Amino acid sequence: MIYISIDNDDQFITLNCHKGSKDGEFFQLVIDANTMKVVKRPPNPDIDATTAYSHVYMLIKTGKPLPKETVAAWG
């Protein structure tokens, strides 16, 4: 599981992510809100980064406002 806190300023969507628990290993993704392209990622992105991005992308596609926190799971 990836615990994600989301900061959205309408230009960039910042995902502050923790692996496995709220105190787990930290990584950050920054997404351009207009193009949905990742502009900042971990040096070696892995399945956790992909899962976090996919989860938040699906939330965006619902058209509802993004939550401040969410949890993504893979597998």
Side-chain angles (χ1 to χ4, degrees):
M1 284 203 276
I2 303 101
Y3 292 83
I4 307 167
S5 66
I6 302 172
D7 295 320
N8 182 4
D9 68 6
D10 294 325
Q11 183 176 4
F12 295 103
I13 302 166
T14 302
L15 311 180
N16 297 302
C17 306
H18 293 270
K19 297 180 182 184
S21 73
K22 288 186 177 184
D23 297 322
E25 181 183 340
F26 176 80
F27 67 92
Q28 186 177 66
L29 296 171
V30 178
I31 302 165
D32 182 305
N34 296 312
T35 65
M36 294 307 299
K37 292 187 180 195
V38 177
V39 295
K40 180 181 176 187
R41 70 188 79 210
N44 298 308
D46 58 12
I47 192 163
D48 293 312
T50 302
T51 300
Y53 175 85
S54 296
H55 178 74
V56 172
Y57 182 81
M58 293 306 295
L59 292 174
I60 291 167
K61 288 297 183 183
T62 67
K64 298 177 185 175
L66 286 173
K68 293 289 183 189
E69 294 184 335
T70 188
V71 176
W74 56 270

